[in-house]
Amino acid sequence: MHELSVTQGVVDAVVDALPGRRITRVDLDIGALSGVEPEALRFCFDLVTAGTGLEGAELVIAELPGRAHCEDCGSDFVLDTCILLCRCGSADVRVRSGQELQIRSVRVA
Amino acid sequence: MCATCGCGDGAGVRVTAVGRDGTPVHPHPHPHHHDHDDPDHAHTVVLEQRILAKNDRLAERNRRWLAARGCVVVNLMSAPGSGKTTLLERTIGEAALPLAVIEGDQETLADARRIEATGCPVVQINTGAGCHLDADMTARGLHALDPRPGSVVVVENVGNLVCPALFDLGETRRVVIMSTTEGPDKPLKYPQMFLGADLVLVNKIDLLPHLDLRLEEIVENVRAVNPTADLLPLSAARGEGMTTWYGWLGRLTDATAAHHGDAGGTVRS
């Protein structure tokens, strides 16, 4: 859905940062709690990059797990969804990572 | 995916100032800032930049523009048919607040006409194939709306519980409406939307006696995703709970008046 706009965001950011350069590889960090489906990004990538400096570039997505900390029992755990619940039953949970939606690097030809 | 939801690239976006002379809205200037190093000999360039950085920059610009006018902006989001426009109609009629509205829909001026009938300033943004508003469309809507200083601008986002959650418009607060008729599990099914809410309005509580669910189930599910958001059950059609909503909106403007001059408000990443 919104992944088309997100993919357009990748192209805009790279073209802004490196105008006129040909890009052969794009590395993204996508957190499990970011609300973006990596598979949908891959689906859009060829369409959105066509006719830009990113056309034909390899898309590499690092899918980062969600991590959370329970303020009640002190445990750190992996969070697969946005449901903020610790195994101890507490909902006093702080998300530590997993919301990343970042362009890590690009390779320039 | 795209063929299914019809999500587009924004090329078909139209902004209409309803109730005015229909003068076309001119796009505002887009100064670009290129802050890169000389990459001539680089093979890999580390960017470490948020993908939606461009939208976030534009949203920040909206926020500054609004702060300079002493305006607050509420980004109002929900599924289609949850009662966003009905809530606004009643709010405009009853709350003693200087409201102005931006309507977001894929097509038609229907909602803007409903708002215009109340006498409230309104602009309609039609996103065409797009499934959400973004900061650039909002900027165009704001320029067309030209809200008076001190206004409470409510942006009624495209009815959609998924895509609008990701796009900062430059809002002061995010308000999500869910209605009792949607069932109790919407916060669990669409957690991103509820996670980012400052206020969750549970609408259509007048229909609870006819439904096979309890308000407590809804509250429990909202809390599972967002333990800290304000939560307010109401009926936009019958009026129950609306005074508390007007009070919540009023406190936003009080806070802005107290901090007038800074870029105040909730800044979301």
Side-chain angles (χ1 to χ4, degrees):
Chain A
M1 305 200 171
H2 50 283
E3 281 82 358
L4 187 59
S5 300
V6 172
T7 312
Q8 188 64 52
V10 172
V11 173
D12 289 348
V14 172
V15 170
D16 270 0
L18 300 159
R21 304 300 298 257
R22 198 167 74 77
I23 307 299
T24 56
R25 172 176 161 146
V26 178
D27 280 79
L28 305 180
D29 292 332
I30 306 293
L33 311 176
S34 68
V36 167
E37 268 307 316
E39 210 41 59
L41 272 189
R42 289 190 188 98
F43 180 88
C44 296
F45 192 72
D46 288 348
L47 282 171
V48 176
T49 54
T52 76
L54 286 75
E55 184 166 350
E58 181 189 3
L59 175 64
V60 180
I61 298 179
E63 299 183 34
L64 308 178
R67 295 193 185 280
H69 175 78
C70 176
E71 298 291 343
D72 274 336
C73 76
S75 68
D76 292 297
F77 57 98
V78 171
L79 198 62
D80 297 324
T81 70
C82 295
I83 314 296
L84 305 177
L85 198 61
C86 178
R87 247 171 286 171
C88 77
S90 171
D92 192 2
V93 166
R94 194 185 321 154
V95 176
R96 290 223 155 137
S97 65
Q99 292 172 314
E100 299 82 359
L101 201 53
Q102 179 178 256
I103 306 163
R104 187 193 295 175
S105 62
V106 293
R107 190 174 292 158
V108 181
Chain B
M1 174 209 57
C2 310
T4 304
C5 99
C7 182
D9 61 3
V13 174
R14 302 178 301 288
V15 177
T16 311
V18 172
R20 300 190 183 185
D21 60 3
T23 309
V25 177
H26 300 286
H28 58 275
H30 281 269
H32 286 276
H33 174 66
H34 299 154
D35 52 355
H36 55 89
D37 299 320
D38 176 13
D40 278 354
H41 303 291
H43 291 286
T44 295
V45 179
V46 176
L47 291 177
E48 289 185 347
Q49 176 182 331
R50 264 182 58 81
I51 290 175
L52 296 175
K54 185 176 172 184
N55 184 76
D56 293 347
R57 274 199 307 276
L58 294 172
E60 214 40 64
R61 195 163 69 181
N62 290 346
R63 204 168 268 121
R64 284 196 303 273
W65 188 85
L66 289 154
R69 292 190 172 211
C71 294
V72 294
V73 176
V74 171
N75 182 359
L76 185 60
M77 296 176 280
S78 81
S82 296
K84 293 187 293 297
T85 314
T86 304
L87 178 93
L88 287 179
E89 285 174 317
R90 192 165 196 124
T91 304
I92 292 160
E94 295 182 349
L97 292 166
L99 290 155
V101 173
I102 294 176
E103 285 287 344
D105 283 298
Q106 284 199 326
E107 296 296 343
T108 83
L109 301 178
D111 282 359
R113 288 198 171 115
R114 283 173 62 184
I115 299 299
E116 188 210 359
T118 68
C120 180
V122 60
V123 162
Q124 176 82 51
I125 300 176
N126 287 124
T127 58
C131 52
H132 58 269
L133 296 180
D134 62 26
D136 179 51
M137 295 177 209
T138 306
R140 292 160 61 185
L142 285 169
H143 285 270
L145 184 66
D146 194 18
R148 274 193 259 170
S151 294
V152 178
V153 181
V154 181
V155 181
E156 185 183 326
N157 216 314
V158 178
N160 177 346
L161 277 178
V162 183
C163 312
L166 246 65
F167 295 85
D168 186 0
L169 307 182
E171 65 267 8
T172 316
R173 293 287 186 275
R174 289 187 168 198
V175 176
V176 175
I177 309 185
M178 64 170 292
S179 58
T180 56
T181 49
E182 294 165 51
D185 51 7
K186 284 291 178 294
L188 306 180
K189 287 180 172 172
Y190 303 95
Q192 285 289 335
M193 178 57 77
F194 288 86
L195 188 65
D198 296 298
L199 169 66
V200 176
L201 299 176
V202 181
N203 192 21
K204 307 188 189 178
I205 56 168
D206 53 305
L207 298 178
L208 274 170
H210 310 288
L211 301 170
D212 190 21
L213 66 93
R214 293 172 304 114
L215 184 60
E216 291 73 22
E217 289 177 73
I218 295 176
V219 172
E220 223 169 79
N221 290 338
V222 171
R223 286 286 170 244
V225 177
N226 187 335
T228 56
D230 294 329
L231 203 153
L232 174 58
L234 51 74
S235 167
R238 299 284 172 263
E240 194 178 349
M242 291 296 283
T243 316
T244 317
W245 156 241
Y246 305 149
W248 189 92
L249 276 178
R251 282 194 296 282
L252 275 189
T253 56
D254 296 346
T256 302
H259 295 98
H260 186 53
D262 68 12
T266 305
V267 177
R268 299 188 164 272
S269 58

